[in-house]
Amino acid sequence: MKKKPRMLKGLAVKDGLVRHPFDVEFGVRTSGLVAGRHLSEGHRHSRHATAYYAVAPSIFRGMIVRWRRCRPVAPIDEFTLIDLGAGMGRALLLAAEYPFRAVVGVEFHPTLARIGRRNLALWRAAGRAQAPMRMICRDAAEYELPPGPCVAFLFNPFGGTVLRRVLRNWASGLARCNAQLDILYVNNVQESILERHPRLVRLFKGQVRRSQADTLADRKILTSQPDGEYAAMAWEDCSIYRWTG
Ligand SMILES: C[S@@+](CC[C@H](N)C(=O)[O-])C[C@H]1O[C@@H](n2cnc3c(N)ncnc32)[C@H](O)[C@@H]1O
């Protein structure tokens, strides 16, 4: 008999789940708040995971606007967008509204990756995807960048140990292929690691505001958490970096 996948704590109504209007409007499943301690899969980097929570659509779009002002090295249709810690794929769905060469999610939790794949399929079926999309179930620290210009999106997925490993893993490939990489970092808690990195130049640092609708939605979602661990803010501290050869 096929084993029933385990329900993650934070994704059920009894855990205080409130659906974000994005899910209600588009019939997808990206809402929920899973604390880092519930993401453990016996994985070597589990204890460094922050939490699962999907990015506010207005924050994601605001970052793309700021990134495009930073004069990317190539047209958007030559870039692959990679969401490191992609969760259930909300940022991927939003990214596919733009004509990227490809949109790739890297998520280490199998339950979240599985739900994410279903969301991508719904998005494609609804004809909303302007870019090819895929979800890879893997540790971000083991993911190699694809060829061509890349833009990595991070919504505070993990602590400094994993972020350092990701950068170390990418460094040799970037040097070998003289590749292009920009990094969009939302809720930039580990900012100092990027700031001190010898190959990274900061292009933007500041607060990106949520739309009023997203502020209201996130406030409603976060005030219904049983443990009240996370606070709802009207903005996110963000930064954008470029890898320089
Ligand atoms: C804050 S959520 C962001 C979700 C998604 N990027 C979005 O904006 O909708 C962070 C995600 O990173 C994942 N994560 C944490 N550590 C990871 C790792 N080492 N490798 C891959 N995914 C990881 C978590 O499971 C969680 O789904």
Side-chain angles (χ1 to χ4, degrees), residues 31-75:
S31 306
L33 171 59
V34 184
R37 63 183 173 282
H38 300 308
L39 287 170
S40 176
E41 275 283 303
H43 197 279
R44 81 171 171 133
H45 285 149
S46 295
R47 70 194 166 90
H48 301 287
T50 51
Y52 170 73
Y53 193 71
V55 69
S58 51
I59 298 278
F60 182 87
R61 294 185 184 120
M63 282 301 271
I64 296 289
V65 168
R66 281 161 181 83
W67 172 60
R68 294 183 95 168
R69 281 189 203 138
C70 296
R71 298 171 179 266
V73 293

Side-chain angles (χ1 to χ4, degrees), residues 60 64 76 81 89-100 102-104 123 130-131 133:
F60 182 87
I64 296 289
I76 195 164
L81 181 136
R90 188 186 294 167
L92 300 178
L93 305 180
L94 292 162
E97 290 179 344
Y98 301 86
F100 282 108
V103 167
V104 179
W123 213 246
Q130 283 203 56
M133 299 182 281

Side-chain angles (χ1 to χ4, degrees), residues 51-229:
Y52 170 73
Y53 193 71
V55 69
S58 51
I59 298 278
F60 182 87
R61 294 185 184 120
M63 282 301 271
I64 296 289
V65 168
R66 281 161 181 83
W67 172 60
R68 294 183 95 168
R69 281 189 203 138
C70 296
R71 298 171 179 266
V73 293
I76 195 164
D77 60 4
E78 291 181 25
F79 271 89
T80 300
L81 181 136
I82 299 135
D83 182 9
L84 280 191
M88 297 196 244
R90 188 186 294 167
L92 300 178
L93 305 180
L94 292 162
E97 290 179 344
Y98 301 86
F100 282 108
R101 175 181 173 186
V103 167
V104 179
V106 183
E107 169 57 50
F108 76 168
H109 199 286
T111 304
L112 297 178
R114 180 175 48 78
I115 300 169
R117 284 196 186 109
R118 209 179 304 141
N119 287 327
L120 303 193
L122 287 167
W123 213 246
R124 275 185 220 107
R128 284 198 197 92
Q130 283 203 56
M133 299 182 281
R134 67 197 169 101
M135 175 74 87
I136 300 172
C137 190
R138 191 174 303 163
D139 187 333
E142 286 158 16
Y143 174 74
E144 301 285 344
L145 288 173
C150 291
V151 53
F153 176 79
L154 289 89
F155 178 23
N156 186 23
F158 32 66
T161 304
V162 183
L163 183 57
R164 278 192 209 94
R165 283 184 186 152
V166 166
L167 295 172
R168 221 176 296 137
N169 181 32
W170 286 353
S172 52
L174 284 163
R176 210 172 37 244
C177 318
N178 195 19
Q180 312 289 340
L181 171 70
D182 287 344
I183 299 175
L184 314 186
Y185 191 17
V186 173
N187 190 5
N188 54 5
V189 172
Q190 304 297 332
E191 168 77 10
S192 61
I193 294 178
L194 301 188
E195 205 172 10
R196 287 200 295 259
H197 195 285
R199 294 271 176 236
L200 289 172
V201 172
R202 190 167 63 208
L203 305 176
F204 167 80
K205 184 180 179 192
Q207 293 179 338
V208 175
R209 292 196 75 79
R210 282 181 163 72
S211 66
Q212 211 177 0
D214 280 341
T215 304
L216 288 174
D218 281 334
R219 197 166 290 155
K220 192 168 162 198
I221 292 166
L222 292 173
T223 48
S224 66
Q225 308 158 74
D227 303 332
E229 268 173 277

